[in-house]
Amino acid sequence: MRRKHFVKLTALATAAVMAVSPAVVFADDSTPGATSAGSSIEGSGNLEGIVNKDVFKVKLPTTATGDTNFILDPQGLLNIANNTLYQGGTGAIYFKNKGASGAADTYSNTSDAIEIINKSSYDIDVAFSVKVELPEGVQMVETKAALADATKPSIYLEMKESEDEAPTALKAGDNSAKVKLVDKVAEAAGTGYEIKATAKTDGTGYDYTYELGDSFDETAAAKASYTLSGQCDTTADWSAVNALEADKKTVKTTIVWSAKKHTDSYFESTTVTASSNSVAVSLPEGVTLSKAELTLTDGTGAVPLTNGNQFTLNDTSFTVSARNVTSWVGANYTKIVLTFSDGTSETITLQ
């Protein structure tokens, strides 16, 4: 009697468990009488996508006042007119400087900074150059001290990259600063580069982008920053320059800059052979060849070379004739050292 009650209770408990368990769908049974079974299940792994993490983003250079115009004042006339605003005195060169926090603009012998800000996801190389064109009768000097003895209207101008760099005196014509490596914006959620997902409007998935986070702070990004400053002489007679027509007595400065992905070399290859005697080149805008020397294997015995004669270098390629390669290597001259206007150099190995 007790046993029958036990069986009934067990059956009820089992029924209750099955009622709350999830339904399981089973495939067909194996074939009756078979002694083995097998099958396969097919699936696929779809690629969700790939995000291009190479992002070039540079804030174009400008100054707070929008230009680098300046005024030459050999006799200090502006200081006489308004010595509060123009404090340079005789021989001054005045650049306009943006007043801080809404204050009025001021004037000094140094321009506001010309800034190129790197907001890219990779390091960039910034090339910066200044071309100076002078009115008839005006010359450039290489030091401020030279202005004191000037007998001809003279100007001293210099450019400087950041507070840590020594200034470079400008000459008439083209002037190139050393190419500046500017660090990238690192990957960081919110404050740097990050992958963002946006649901597609048709509900089929997501679109992905690689971009700066909403909390990115541009002021914290790396940059190249340049200034111009100068002075003019107070001893020479500027009257002839002053008498020129308005459009002919202006000192003109043209600033040229370029930015591109950082590279450790301007040359695709730094090895040249008699059979492979040309390599691709990518020179930054404004950068020119200053000097070329052929040297022995140990770097001694420098022999000057001329572009267009013993070799050819342009913006896109460097070429040495097979005959010259064979001749120089035979005499143990296996290196060409090229020095550029931005201060960098490349060593080409001849084999």
Side-chain angles (χ1 to χ4, degrees), residues 139 141 145-154 233-237:
Q139 66 180 6
V141 294
L147 294 172
D149 301 320
T151 58
K152 180 179 180 180
S154 302
D233 83 88
T234 62
T235 60
D237 182 0

Side-chain angles (χ1 to χ4, degrees), residues 70 72 133-136 138 239-252:
F70 56 89
L72 303 172
E133 298 175 77
L134 300 171
E136 183 181 349
V138 178
S239 58
V241 179
N242 189 55
L244 294 172
E245 296 178 17
D247 61 341
K248 294 182 179 180
K249 61 182 177 183
T250 301
V251 177
K252 183 179 179 182

Side-chain angles (χ1 to χ4, degrees), residues 29-63:
D29 292 337
S30 59
T31 304
T35 58
S36 64
S39 67
S40 63
I41 300 174
E42 292 185 356
S44 63
N46 293 325
L47 180 65
E48 180 66 9
I50 293 294
V51 177
N52 182 4
K53 291 189 173 183
D54 272 6
V55 180
F56 180 72
K57 193 178 183 69
V58 174
K59 184 168 183 179
L60 302 181
T62 185
T63 66

Side-chain angles (χ1 to χ4, degrees), residues 23 27 32 34 37 55 62 85 88 128 155 166 198 209 214 236 276 290 302 307 326 328 332:
V55 180
T62 185
L85 189 57
F128 184 89
I155 299 171
T198 305
T209 57
D214 295 336
S276 181
S290 298
N307 188 12
T326 301
W328 292 339
N332 206 31

Side-chain angles (χ1 to χ4, degrees), residues 78-79 81-88 94-95 104-108:
L78 287 171
N79 180 255
N82 187 340
N83 59 15
T84 300
L85 189 57
Y86 302 99
Q87 301 179 8
Y94 291 110
F95 293 89
D105 293 342
T106 60
Y107 291 85
S108 75

